[in-house]
Amino acid sequence: MAKIIGIANQKGGVGKTTTAINLAASLGVLEFKTLLVDADPQANSTTGLGFDLHNISQGLYDCMVNTTSAKDVVLKSDISFLDVIPSHIDLVGAEIEMINYPNRESVLKNILDPLRDEYDFIVVDCSPSLGLITVNALTAADSVIVPVQAEFFALEGLGKLLNTIKIVQNRLNPELKIEGLLMTMYDGRLRLCNQVVNEVRKHFEDLVFSTIIHRNTKLSEAPSFGKPAILYDADSKGAINYLNLAKEILQKNNMTKLSQEEKVLEKR
């Protein structure tokens, strides 16, 4: 039964799509069957995994508006354990077209629920807004990861997002949890970055992931080659950071796979 994790922050440029692509890829590399759902009309998660938008005939828009089955739009990525439901600029119009739908906040949940048995994780990349599609993602999700940039205005807008999460919890999805706040774009040489991390940790304590995502050239370059960092340069700091994040999430959810050695010892 898949765990659905939304990656959300209405503030742009905080590493949300980078997190969605690289977390999903890391879980896939660790051999957990993972589905990445691109719920952002900019479709950066789709292109960041090497798909050409001109060659995509159907995507999430078709599932949400034309009731196309999700299984019909799933694409295989270069990582054998990672599949993708692509996005397209058409998704911009979905919010308007869905406005008169009954239970319009639950459309994505109804699309993803039949896929739960086929995956270990479903990661949803939300758009940088708190519109209807993001509310759909939060309604469908079991938990949400909030990327927070290690910069001066880090906490700006965070209150608004947490308030939206609270409204979704109260009205639409009482099971929704905050998986964690993820500090991104961290530069250890800057005193400000350290101050921001300390401030966020002081405010939110255990909600903040231990893993921090450092500013990393390879992480920035990888999407232009249509690859997650782990395929572009597995030894880069960015790839290692996201692998560590995946392991931290697995640990948190008691889903760590035993190594061959541990399996042998367990049988004794």
Side-chain angles (χ1 to χ4, degrees):
M1 184 81 155
K3 174 163 190 158
I4 301 178
I5 302 176
I7 315 283
N9 193 332
Q10 82 277 18
K11 199 168 182 279
V14 296
K16 182 181 55 58
T17 296
T18 302
T19 296
I21 292 172
N22 289 292
L23 172 60
S26 297
L27 289 166
V29 164
L30 292 168
E31 299 190 354
F32 285 87
K33 194 93 176 69
T34 304
L35 175 68
L36 175 59
V37 180
D38 192 349
D40 184 349
Q42 294 174 78
N44 290 337
S45 278
T46 305
T47 56
L49 283 172
F51 296 102
D52 184 343
L53 297 184
H54 297 104
N55 298 333
I56 291 170
S57 55
Q58 290 186 311
L60 186 61
Y61 170 85
D62 299 276
C63 299
M64 297 188 90
V65 175
N66 302 330
T67 61
T68 303
S69 164
K71 287 180 182 178
D72 294 338
V73 304
V74 168
L75 302 173
K76 299 274 175 205
S77 80
D78 289 340
I79 296 171
S80 53
F81 282 80
L82 176 62
D83 293 345
V84 183
I85 290 183
S87 183
H88 198 272
I89 191 67
D90 289 353
L91 197 58
V92 167
E95 299 211 351
I96 297 157
E97 294 185 57
M98 286 161 56
I99 208 82
N100 293 319
Y101 280 23
N103 302 320
R104 61 186 182 208
E105 297 90 355
S106 304
V107 175
L108 187 57
K109 179 180 167 58
N110 296 334
I111 291 165
L112 297 181
D113 274 352
L115 297 175
R116 275 186 183 256
D117 288 338
E118 295 181 33
Y119 294 95
D120 298 307
F121 287 97
I122 297 175
V123 176
V124 185
D125 181 19
C126 302
S127 60
S129 73
L130 292 178
L132 183 55
I133 292 177
T134 299
V135 170
N136 259 267
L138 295 176
T139 304
D142 298 305
S143 66
V144 57
I145 291 174
V146 183
V148 179
Q149 194 174 349
E151 52 138 59
F152 186 66
F153 293 113
L155 299 176
E156 193 187 67
L158 200 54
K160 204 172 177 185
L161 175 64
L162 295 175
N163 198 38
T164 302
I165 290 170
K166 201 167 276 182
I167 290 167
V168 171
Q169 285 169 329
N170 289 338
R171 298 184 190 170
L172 300 161
N173 184 3
E175 304 300 311
L176 181 65
K177 305 264 190 303
I178 295 176
E179 190 75 29
L181 272 62
L182 176 68
M183 300 306 302
T184 61
M185 301 181 187
Y186 173 82
D187 187 339
R189 298 167 299 179
L190 302 178
R191 194 166 60 178
L192 176 65
C193 280
N194 293 305
Q195 286 172 341
V196 170
V197 170
N198 291 337
E199 191 66 21
V200 173
R201 286 220 160 111
K202 196 168 81 182
H203 258 78
F204 296 101
E205 297 171 347
D206 293 347
L207 275 184
V208 186
F209 283 109
S210 304
T211 305
I212 291 178
I213 310 300
H214 292 72
R215 267 194 193 281
N216 182 245
T217 315
K218 300 290 186 190
L219 212 47
S220 310
E221 288 173 358
S224 60
F225 289 88
K227 292 181 175 183
I230 204 154
L231 290 189
Y232 180 62
D233 184 350
D235 295 325
S236 66
K237 194 164 221 171
I240 292 163
N241 286 166
Y242 277 109
L243 205 51
N244 287 337
L245 174 66
K247 287 173 182 173
E248 188 174 346
I249 289 168
L250 291 169
Q251 224 160 9
K252 211 174 174 184
N253 290 279
N254 299 318
M255 287 176 73
T256 39
K257 288 183 175 175
L258 294 175
S259 68
Q260 282 304 113
E261 203 176 311
E262 287 169 324
K263 282 177 186 171
V264 170
L265 289 171
E266 203 178 53
K267 280 178 186 171
R268 281 180 184 173

